[in-house]
Amino acid sequence: MLETKNLNSPKIVYLKDYKIPDYQITTIDLHFHLKAEHTTIRSQLAISRYLGAKPSPLVLDSEELELLSIKLNGQILTEKDYQQDTKSLTLHSVPDQFTLVIETRIYPQHNTALSGLYISSNNFCTQCEAEGFRRITYFLDRPDIMARYTTTIVANKASYPVLLSNGNLIAHGDHAHGDHFAKWEDPFPKPSYLFALVAGTLSKIEDEFITSSGRKVTLSIYVQPHNIDKCEHAMASLKRAMAWDEQVYGREYDLDNYMIVAVDDFNMGAMENKGLNIFNSKYILAKPETATDTDYQYIEGVIGHEYFHNWSGNRVTCRDWFQLSLKEGFTVFRDQQFSASRGSPTVKRIQDVNHLRTYQFKEDSGPMAHPIRPESYAEINNFYTTTVYEKGAEVVRMLYQLLGPKGFRKGTDLYFNRHDGQAVTTDEFVRSLEDANNADFSQFRLWYRQAGTPELHASGVYDPKKNTYTLTVKQTCQATPSQSHKDPFHIPLALGLLDSKGNDLPLRLAGESTPIAGTRVMELRQAEEVFIFKDIPHKPIPSLLRNFSAPVKLHLNLSDEERCFLLAHDSNNFNRWEAGHQLAVKILLNLIRDYQQGKPFQLNLTFIAAIGKILTGNEPDKAFVTHALTLPSEHYLSEFMAIIDPEAIYQAHRFLRQNLAENLKDSFSAMYESLRQTDPYRFTPKDIGRRALRNTCLGYLMELNDPDIYHQCFQQFIQADNMTDTIAALSTLVHTESPERDNALHIFYEKWHQDPLVMDKWLSIQAISRRPDTLKIVKQLTQRSVFKLTNPNKVRALIGAFCQHNPVNFHATNGEGYSFLGDYILKLDPLNPQIAARLVSVFNLWRRYDNKRQILMKEQLERIANVSKISKDVQEIVIKSLN
Ligand code: B3K
Ligand code: ZN
């Protein structure tokens, strides 16, 4: 066990302890008098005891609130009537039904945690999920308390001309002393985490959307006035998302207005507050000169995500925070479908799978492993994880595959109709899908309860006499913290068998009369399953787990030639990419071993030829080619090593990239030239693919360390009319020692230093440079005025980028990367525990490194653990990491 001075374990909340609340709050009438130095809030609550609940004290949640007064049914309460501590306010005895009026004071200017009501660029904004509302007023701050809100905002008219909250504006006007007010009413009962307020100097763009039933919805995007020229893409994305949700899920928007506000200081991407989304400006602001194609795609995806929450999250919400994946997993699945419909579905799937396997599989293998419905937490904000979100989406995707699009839609229709206006559990979601389809997902529910990544071991035997192909699939799952035993999962395994020309063989199992053409989904339920396919004319090449039909690790022995064959011929484009990717992983792991054993690196001609063929093969989907040419990341490769060796991974990666560049130089050059931009920037799938492939070719060519190519790269940097091409050039120049590098960084800074989002790119690019002096440069950058510790985007851009995306430098054996991160965690924790906790997680896999690195990382964890005042956010992760 851990021996540190100050780690008293924080209080743990358990799913098994969930109890329905004794009291309900039906309406809340809020009155804010906003002032930056202090804000006063009057909250009037209509409270009643639930039928059947015994009289009990009323315990309201609170955090950092100053209580000014309480009145119960008009009577002022005194200190003998209630009890207060740092976390709650308890009224000992209350009637069955009553009105409570509470006055509170808070200090938004000092709120650096960015939870509750705070100030960003002189404007007021809120973030209440998960438990920020209790930092605004005393409340039953839990998602199963759904109330109707009215909100009156009073503020100085000159400083805060725009006053927004959820729902409809029902009154506004002027007050004395230069103040004005606005009154908002939200007709839909909602949990407190969806409350929002914004006040400030903001400009807006406005548009409208006519819903399928003919209602007009006014759409507004509010930004700081100087950003007004960067909102169009966000607005267009919103309209597309609204139309898509009607077409695909039959979900119509329900209020007469939909507002989005962009703020610079925000802990995460965006927040789906009812009718008033608040966004990190990174996911709103874009114009070709300042935002890359990837930024444009993220904006579209996040706008979609928050919009889709209006049904999957807001109209039907979570009973408690253990059910977070109910809204997040489902909504991520929905936003993935939406984005897939906007470009190449294969490429979108490749991106999502890459992300899942790089980050979620890691989480599953470390101390923070948890099921998508966790059993316990100390700080719920630590559970907004890739497991809850992305693995949660994979679980919904499996349900979608098992039911098919029509069955799934029947299920979601039932779910939305049955539970509209309710706070429910993941179990109720699954039950709706079952009931609508007469399906049985009892075994499938294990995906919600069991953590860990299942592994499939598949092998096939062909019998030429019987013309059968027997596929055996065994499943296992490693133990995770507090779950040593795992039962077999219910797993959809999509597959095809390829004939010698690369066509899918029709698949017929024993006992079936007609074969199924194309991809077939087999269902695994037992620890071992055997499938015998009939009428197979010759030994096929198996293409398993098509489209990554389940979040598992698949082990299947194929030769390099078979993988190259799949890369060239598989009818499933995802699996074409996967075959090349698996081959690259295998080659890189061999190179890593060679490096560790001091052997010289060997070329793999089969791989070079296969990549060459993709590059010159006239494939129409250029984004697909880009992915096929991109090697598995250093981060992802570490997943396959018992003891992670960042240096060996880096050297192997470098060698293979250089090798490909040397051998395919002419093809890369020719492709680079042929994809030159002729028209002005456009955000279309075709143009995005073209730019991506061209820049990938540039990246390879830059591996050749050729001064002419540096020059060519610099020319691209100078001449580009869009940020995608500018950044592509800069981010490869930054690894070099060339004069072009410093020159380009300088020019970029001079041009963009007034634009914080563009400066984030400038910081990140330098932080992930492969140059050995990177940490020194990063430290210098922390001293520049463009870096601000209180701004999460800056912390992520510089410190996060260095520690998470520059493994070879961060893990330098002198330990300086580790102590740098330790320093910043300690500086950040008192300011913003959520962001500090995210950074601490970088150390989670410390046990997977060699002894020397283990000791150095552990030292930092212990150093953090020994600090006297540490947030429970950071504490929870440090304890799990060390124990
Ligand atoms: N629901 C928010 C995330 C809130 C995170 C709180 N720590 C954004 C989203 O997932 O849509
Ligand atoms: Zn979400």
Side-chain angles (χ1 to χ4, degrees):
M1 279 300 280
L2 175 66
E3 282 177 47
T4 41
K5 270 184 282 171
N6 301 303
L7 281 192
N8 302 322
S9 296
K11 186 176 169 282
I12 309 287
V13 186
Y14 293 93
L15 168 60
K16 64 175 166 44
D17 294 343
Y18 174 82
K19 281 214 288 289
I20 54 166
D22 288 342
Y23 295 93
Q24 61 179 325
I25 302 178
T26 43
T27 62
I28 168 165
D29 191 0
L30 285 162
H31 183 282
F32 286 80
H33 193 172
L34 296 177
K35 282 187 191 156
E37 48 297 356
H38 63 83
T39 284
T40 44
I41 299 133
R42 191 180 67 235
S43 151
Q44 177 169 326
L45 307 172
I47 305 184
S48 51
R49 195 183 344 266
Y50 267 105
L51 221 60
K54 291 198 194 81
S56 60
L58 173 72
V59 185
L60 299 174
D61 300 298
S62 71
E63 198 177 301
E64 311 222 340
L65 298 177
E66 220 173 276
L67 178 62
L68 300 180
S69 69
I70 325 181
K71 276 189 207 156
L72 195 154
N73 287 340
Q75 295 288 314
I76 295 180
L77 299 189
T78 61
E79 283 186 18
K80 65 174 180 3
D81 304 312
Y82 60 84
Q83 194 182 339
Q84 234 192 322
D85 61 27
T86 55
K87 295 271 161 255
S88 60
L89 171 74
T90 303
L91 305 197
H92 305 302
S93 123
V94 291
D96 292 348
Q97 203 168 351
F98 57 101
T99 302
L100 206 58
V101 178
I102 309 180
E103 274 188 315
T104 314
R105 185 185 291 135
I106 56 176
Y107 299 86
Q109 216 163 40
H110 302 296
N111 182 351
T112 54
L114 313 185
S115 163
L117 179 71
Y118 65 93
I119 292 187
S120 174
S121 318
N122 298 320
N123 296 327
F124 284 91
C125 64
T126 52
Q127 172 55 38
C128 294
E129 188 177 0
E131 297 179 335
F133 194 69
R134 65 188 63 185
R135 293 164 62 89
I136 294 174
T137 186
Y138 298 86
F139 202 67
L140 293 174
D141 191 13
R142 44 188 282 175
D144 55 357
I145 296 291
M146 296 174 82
R148 282 203 173 76
Y149 283 65
T150 34
T151 306
T152 306
I153 311 167
V154 178
N156 179 274
K157 192 170 180 174
S159 307
Y160 308 105
V162 175
L163 307 175
L164 310 174
S165 190
N166 320 83
N168 304 312
L169 181 66
I170 53 169
H172 62 100
D174 290 338
H175 275 334
H177 314 297
D179 282 352
H180 70 147
F181 80 97
K183 185 168 184 182
W184 294 82
E185 183 183 65
D186 183 354
F188 294 95
K190 64 168 176 284
S192 49
Y193 81 87
L194 291 174
F195 170 79
L197 176 154
V198 170
T201 304
L202 296 159
S203 301
K204 67 172 165 184
I205 68 162
E206 219 172 72
D207 205 328
E208 63 179 47
F209 181 82
I210 309 291
T211 69
S212 50
S213 70
R215 276 187 320 100
K216 189 179 107 179
V217 182
T218 304
L219 313 175
S220 322
I221 298 183
Y222 290 87
V223 295
Q224 293 173 59
H226 60 270
N227 286 325
I228 197 72
D229 60 337
K230 300 191 196 112
C231 303
E232 251 146 54
H233 174 62
M235 182 63 91
S237 302
L238 175 61
K239 289 165 77 177
R240 284 193 287 264
M242 295 178 86
W244 184 89
D245 212 16
E246 290 185 349
Q247 277 157 23
V248 180
Y249 282 88
R251 297 292 118 201
E252 198 177 319
Y253 186 62
D254 48 12
L255 286 163
D256 296 336
N257 63 353
Y258 191 87
M259 299 175 282
I260 295 178
V261 181
V263 302
D264 286 342
D265 303 278
F266 208 63
N267 279 346
M268 61 281 167
M271 179 63 212
E272 70 264 24
N273 317 302
K274 181 76 188 188
L276 177 55
N277 287 186
I278 300 180
F279 269 61
N280 185 328
S281 53
K282 179 176 166 63
Y283 295 108
I284 294 292
L285 305 178
K287 58 180 181 180
E289 298 81 1
T290 61
T292 63
D293 291 339
T294 311
D295 294 327
Y296 271 70
Q297 286 168 331
Y298 276 133
I299 289 170
E300 187 167 45
V302 179
I303 291 258
H305 180 98
E306 306 311 332
Y307 175 73
F308 303 144
H309 268 315
N310 191 56
W311 275 96
S312 48
N314 301 4
R315 291 285 289 252
V316 183
T317 197
C318 300
R319 185 193 73 173
D320 55 75
W321 291 121
F322 298 101
Q323 317 300 328
L324 185 57
S325 205
L326 173 81
K327 72 179 180 81
E328 296 306 346
F330 186 23
T331 305
V332 171
F333 174 65
R334 277 150 58 67
D335 85 52
Q336 290 176 347
Q337 286 182 299
F338 170 59
S339 296
S341 77
R342 296 277 308 138
S344 155
T346 303
V347 167
K348 174 65 180 151
R349 189 69 188 131
I350 293 170
Q351 291 166 337
D352 292 338
V353 170
N354 259 334
H355 181 90
L356 185 90
R357 291 201 292 215
T358 307
Y359 300 102
Q360 199 280 323
F361 282 17
K362 273 229 161 77
E363 188 161 86
D364 253 349
S365 72
M368 270 293 287
H370 53 275
I372 64 167
R373 190 194 57 200
E375 304 280 332
S376 66
Y377 59 77
E379 171 51 61
I380 184 57
N381 285 317
N382 286 335
F383 285 81
Y384 285 74
T385 57
T386 173
T387 298
V388 166
Y389 275 64
E390 278 83 21
K391 184 175 178 183
E394 293 298 320
V395 170
V396 175
R397 183 180 292 271
M398 287 189 283
L399 289 164
Y400 175 85
Q401 283 180 89
L402 290 167
L403 295 173
K406 286 209 180 96
F408 186 75
R409 170 67 193 270
K410 271 204 305 198
T412 57
D413 281 352
L414 179 61
Y415 167 70
F416 288 126
N417 293 338
R418 193 185 261 181
H419 297 297
D420 190 8
Q422 297 178 0
V424 301
T425 63
T426 54
D427 206 44
E428 281 156 311
F429 175 73
V430 177
R431 190 164 313 126
S432 291
L433 299 188
E434 286 178 323
D435 290 354
N437 291 281
N438 221 342
D440 175 6
F441 289 133
S442 20
Q443 185 184 359
F444 188 89
R445 281 182 170 78
L446 280 176
W447 284 105
Y448 287 89
R449 296 200 291 274
Q450 285 187 165
T453 310
E455 302 201 31
L456 301 184
H457 292 264
S459 57
V461 176
Y462 180 65
D463 183 337
K465 288 198 199 98
K466 295 191 190 144
N467 283 0
T468 56
Y469 182 76
T470 304
L471 180 70
T472 305
V473 188
K474 293 181 188 159
Q475 61 160 302
T476 56
C477 184
Q478 266 194 347
T480 49
S482 79
Q483 281 187 344
S484 48
H485 171 80
K486 312 275 177 179
D487 288 321
F489 290 89
H490 178 185
I491 300 173
L493 178 69
L495 57 84
L497 299 179
L498 269 65
D499 72 12
S500 56
K501 294 203 188 71
N503 300 315
D504 277 330
L505 289 160
L507 299 180
R508 183 175 77 82
L509 292 171
E512 292 175 345
S513 50
T514 33
I516 293 178
T519 299
R520 192 168 172 162
V521 180
M522 312 309 299
E523 296 187 30
L524 313 179
R525 293 172 187 270
Q526 311 292 328
E528 179 173 327
E529 297 272 3
V530 179
F531 303 104
I532 303 175
F533 297 99
K534 300 282 192 181
D535 314 326
I536 305 291
H538 56 78
K539 185 174 179 239
I541 297 185
S543 161
L544 303 188
L545 201 67
R546 281 183 163 174
N547 285 334
F548 198 66
S549 59
V552 300
K553 293 182 190 166
L554 171 68
H555 306 276
L556 169 71
N557 257 338
L558 291 177
S559 66
D560 290 2
E561 287 67 29
E562 286 172 317
R563 292 194 201 277
C564 288
F565 183 85
L566 288 169
L567 172 60
H569 298 293
D570 200 326
S571 68
N572 185 264
N573 264 338
F574 176 85
N575 269 27
R576 279 184 65 202
W577 168 79
E578 177 75 334
H581 178 81
Q582 297 294 345
L583 182 57
V585 168
K586 187 185 136 192
I587 290 167
L588 282 160
L589 292 176
N590 286 338
L591 291 169
I592 289 168
R593 202 194 43 219
D594 291 347
Y595 180 84
Q596 290 177 320
Q597 296 175 354
K599 291 189 193 154
F601 284 138
Q602 300 280 332
L603 292 186
N604 185 310
L605 295 172
T606 318
F607 183 65
I608 293 173
I611 293 291
K613 224 162 115 188
I614 291 277
L615 183 57
T616 53
N618 277 331
E619 174 79 42
D621 184 349
K622 303 291 182 234
F624 176 82
V625 180
T626 306
H627 283 282
L629 295 182
T630 304
L631 297 182
S633 69
E634 291 172 48
H635 222 77
Y636 178 58
L637 288 166
S638 62
E639 175 67 25
F640 297 90
M641 302 188 71
I643 300 176
I644 300 172
D645 183 344
E647 182 67 28
I649 296 175
Y650 169 73
Q651 296 295 350
H653 210 260
R654 204 69 217 285
F655 169 79
L656 190 55
R657 281 179 60 78
Q658 278 175 346
N659 213 255
L660 286 167
E662 281 158 16
N663 284 279
L664 301 170
K665 176 176 181 208
D666 294 343
S667 306
F668 281 126
S669 286
M671 186 58 92
Y672 180 77
E673 283 310 317
S674 77
L675 297 174
R676 203 170 270 284
Q677 175 181 353
T678 46
D679 303 319
Y681 176 93
R682 276 182 320 180
F683 178 69
T684 65
K686 196 163 163 242
D687 287 291
I688 297 166
R690 184 184 56 71
R691 280 186 288 272
L693 180 52
R694 185 164 193 264
N695 288 324
T696 300
C697 293
L698 176 66
Y700 273 109
L701 291 167
M702 285 289 285
E703 296 288 345
L704 297 169
N705 295 327
D706 174 341
D708 287 345
I709 298 172
Y710 289 174
H711 180 70
Q712 201 176 0
C713 186
F714 186 72
Q715 288 308 310
Q716 169 170 328
F717 169 79
I718 295 289
Q719 287 161 5
D721 72 346
N722 64 80
M723 187 51 85
T724 307
D725 291 336
T726 308
I727 279 292
L730 187 60
S731 59
T732 165
L733 272 176
V734 82
H735 300 304
T736 70
E737 311 269 347
S738 67
E740 284 90 346
R741 171 200 196 261
D742 296 341
N743 201 358
L745 283 171
H746 177 73
I747 293 171
F748 192 91
Y749 177 84
E750 288 300 316
K751 183 161 177 192
W752 295 115
H753 65 275
Q754 307 279 30
D755 187 319
L757 292 176
V758 180
M759 275 296 105
D760 290 346
K761 300 182 195 303
W762 187 76
L763 294 171
S764 283
I765 278 182
Q766 296 181 73
I768 58 182
S769 166
R770 300 195 289 243
R771 278 169 53 139
D773 58 352
T774 297
L775 179 56
K776 197 174 115 209
I777 294 174
V778 168
K779 285 182 178 168
Q780 285 163 3
L781 289 171
T782 60
Q783 304 306 312
R784 301 279 295 261
S785 59
V786 288
F787 179 78
K788 241 173 71 194
L789 196 57
T790 48
N791 177 274
N793 285 358
K794 299 290 165 215
V795 173
R796 283 184 282 255
L798 188 60
I799 297 166
F802 176 74
C803 301
Q804 284 169 293
H805 303 294
N806 197 339
V808 70
N809 281 314
F810 173 64
H811 290 284
T813 44
N814 61 13
E816 283 179 16
Y818 303 153
S819 50
F820 171 73
L821 178 57
D823 292 348
Y824 272 90
I825 291 165
L826 292 177
K827 278 188 208 173
L828 264 165
D829 192 46
L831 296 170
N832 189 332
Q834 280 185 50
I835 300 296
R838 291 276 152 162
L839 286 183
V840 166
S841 319
V842 176
F843 287 130
N844 275 355
L845 291 189
W846 65 278
R847 284 179 213 272
R848 293 272 306 277
Y849 289 81
D850 57 275
N851 257 341
K852 187 165 178 199
R853 289 187 172 95
Q854 279 197 22
I855 292 170
L856 292 166
M857 280 190 253
K858 190 167 174 235
E859 252 170 43
Q860 293 304 321
L861 284 167
E862 284 170 346
R863 170 181 170 213
I864 297 163
N866 276 315
V867 167
S868 60
K869 250 187 112 189
I870 195 129
S871 67
K872 69 173 170 174
D873 308 55
V874 167
Q875 199 184 19
E876 176 171 35
I877 296 183
V878 170
I879 289 180
K880 285 187 176 158
S881 252
L882 285 173
N883 276 348

mmCIF file of all heavy atoms in Angstrom, residues 305 309 328 389, ligand 2:
data_model
loop_
_atom_site.group_PDB
_atom_site.id
_atom_site.type_symbol
_atom_site.label_atom_id
_atom_site.label_comp_id
_atom_site.label_asym_id
_atom_site.label_seq_id
_atom_site.Cartn_x
_atom_site.Cartn_y
_atom_site.Cartn_z
ATOM 1 N N HIS A 305 -22.257 16.737 -32.282
ATOM 2 C CA HIS A 305 -22.329 16.035 -30.994
ATOM 3 C C HIS A 305 -23.215 16.798 -29.998
ATOM 4 O O HIS A 305 -24.141 16.235 -29.415
ATOM 5 C CB HIS A 305 -20.908 15.856 -30.454
ATOM 6 C CG HIS A 305 -20.832 15.148 -29.139
ATOM 7 N ND1 HIS A 305 -20.554 13.803 -29.020
ATOM 8 C CD2 HIS A 305 -21.010 15.594 -27.868
ATOM 9 C CE1 HIS A 305 -20.558 13.456 -27.751
ATOM 10 N NE2 HIS A 305 -20.835 14.535 -27.025
ATOM 11 N N HIS A 309 -27.078 15.827 -28.522
ATOM 12 C CA HIS A 309 -27.395 15.679 -27.103
ATOM 13 C C HIS A 309 -28.801 16.195 -26.775
ATOM 14 O O HIS A 309 -29.371 15.822 -25.758
ATOM 15 C CB HIS A 309 -26.397 16.458 -26.240
ATOM 16 C CG HIS A 309 -25.210 15.656 -25.772
ATOM 17 N ND1 HIS A 309 -25.317 14.385 -25.262
ATOM 18 C CD2 HIS A 309 -23.887 15.968 -25.707
ATOM 19 C CE1 HIS A 309 -24.112 13.942 -24.906
ATOM 20 N NE2 HIS A 309 -23.227 14.885 -25.177
ATOM 21 N N GLU A 328 -23.214 9.857 -23.396
ATOM 22 C CA GLU A 328 -21.974 10.143 -24.141
ATOM 23 C C GLU A 328 -21.648 9.064 -25.174
ATOM 24 O O GLU A 328 -21.299 9.377 -26.311
ATOM 25 C CB GLU A 328 -20.804 10.362 -23.168
ATOM 26 C CG GLU A 328 -20.959 11.587 -22.267
ATOM 27 C CD GLU A 328 -21.209 12.888 -23.027
ATOM 28 O OE1 GLU A 328 -21.015 12.923 -24.258
ATOM 29 O OE2 GLU A 328 -21.627 13.879 -22.393
ATOM 30 N N TYR A 389 -16.678 7.470 -23.307
ATOM 31 C CA TYR A 389 -17.075 8.091 -24.573
ATOM 32 C C TYR A 389 -16.885 7.132 -25.754
ATOM 33 O O TYR A 389 -17.843 6.714 -26.392
ATOM 34 C CB TYR A 389 -16.247 9.362 -24.826
ATOM 35 C CG TYR A 389 -16.800 10.607 -24.170
ATOM 36 C CD1 TYR A 389 -16.880 10.715 -22.786
ATOM 37 C CD2 TYR A 389 -17.240 11.688 -24.925
ATOM 38 C CE1 TYR A 389 -17.373 11.868 -22.180
ATOM 39 C CE2 TYR A 389 -17.735 12.851 -24.333
ATOM 40 C CZ TYR A 389 -17.793 12.928 -22.967
ATOM 41 O OH TYR A 389 -18.291 14.058 -22.379
HETATM 42 ZN ZN ZN B 2 -21.187 14.623 -25.075
#
